[in-house]
Amino acid sequence: MIAIVNYGLGNISAFANIYKSLGVPFILADTASQLRDASKIILPGVGSFDHAMQLLQASGMRGELNRLVLEEKRPVLGICVGMQMLALSSDEGRETGLGWIDGVVRKIDAARPGHELLLPHMGWNSVRSLNDNALLTGLDMESEFYFLHSYYFDCNQAGDAFADVEYGTRFVCGVNHENIYGVQFHPEKSHRNGVRLLKNFAEL
């Protein structure tokens, strides 16, 4: 069973609808006790880093998530701000991240010479695979994924990045360290490719 962490942010109903259509058991977990029977966990997120971290802390689920992910090694997938929360910290705020993957969140440089970038980075972009990651199995890498963000994950360990995207420059949009995964784009809004990625996660 997949637990979708319901701490007040993210497209919760969209994930639920996709897993319902796939016949994958899921629960919308809003207490620590509801997380315990989950075989996998989805951590969604939208908005600002600090607000997301504050809501997660207030939910009472952060300690149990740490135990399940770090000690029991249950697979987790962070999405958009949920991916950024996996980092140590973010340039966007002052809160401490979960620190599950060694890296920090940086603001996209919209002032690079020769580029006129609009922030947030919003819309459809193709993603480049950096290694043979199970989340990308069967995806059409020529198709595009939906992005909406102004910050990106800067990995301290290059091997933790499995996908990147180009917007003025190339930056990481997919991370993985052991049982911990994150994607910057929104699979729940990315049509067939997004559904396949969520199915791949369910089948890890």
Side-chain angles (χ1 to χ4, degrees):
M1 180 181 67
I2 292 179
I4 304 168
V5 184
N6 185 19
Y7 65 107
L9 288 179
N11 303 308
I12 303 297
S13 60
F15 294 106
N17 289 337
I18 289 172
Y19 280 126
K20 184 176 181 179
S21 72
L22 291 172
V24 175
F26 68 90
I27 185 174
L28 302 182
D30 51 24
T31 65
S33 62
Q34 291 177 318
L35 292 170
R36 290 172 191 152
D37 293 332
S39 58
K40 298 179 181 69
I41 299 163
I42 286 184
L43 179 64
V46 295
S48 70
F49 182 89
D50 274 9
H51 184 52
M53 291 306 307
Q54 290 161 4
L55 285 180
L56 183 62
Q57 184 67 35
S59 75
M61 290 187 280
R62 182 171 180 173
E64 184 65 7
L65 285 169
N66 276 328
R67 187 184 70 82
L68 294 174
V69 172
L70 300 180
E71 297 178 19
E72 298 196 4
K73 300 296 183 182
R74 298 193 199 180
V76 62
L77 173 60
I79 293 169
C80 194
V81 174
M83 169 183 167
Q84 296 175 9
M85 294 164 72
L86 307 178
L88 299 166
S89 63
S90 173
D91 288 349
E92 187 178 16
R94 299 183 177 182
E95 294 290 335
T96 300
L98 292 167
W100 293 348
I101 293 184
D102 186 12
V104 295
V105 176
R106 307 288 190 193
K107 188 168 186 178
I108 297 171
D109 184 3
R112 288 171 55 83
H115 298 88
E116 296 181 0
L117 300 181
L118 297 177
L119 293 181
H121 170 211
M122 179 173 63
W124 299 85
N125 287 86
S126 58
V127 168
R128 180 177 68 174
S129 174
L130 301 177
N131 57 49
D132 187 21
N133 192 275
L135 282 191
L136 301 182
T137 299
L139 271 66
D140 177 7
M141 300 307 290
E142 298 300 317
S143 294
E144 297 181 328
F145 296 80
Y146 184 76
F147 287 82
L148 178 57
H149 67 115
S150 299
Y151 294 80
Y152 68 96
F153 199 113
D154 185 12
C155 293
N156 288 330
Q157 306 298 325
D160 289 340
F162 72 82
D164 68 7
V165 64
E166 184 171 0
Y167 187 67
T169 186
R170 301 207 74 92
F171 54 81
V172 171
C173 65
V175 295
N176 173 213
H177 182 79
E178 297 180 350
N179 57 308
I180 303 163
Y181 298 80
V183 292
Q184 184 61 61
F185 52 83
H186 286 272
E188 79 280 12
K189 296 183 178 181
S190 296
H191 305 314
R192 188 178 303 172
N193 260 356
V195 171
R196 180 57 191 263
L197 184 144
L198 292 172
K199 183 174 186 286
N200 288 343
F201 178 68
E203 294 175 347
L204 288 175

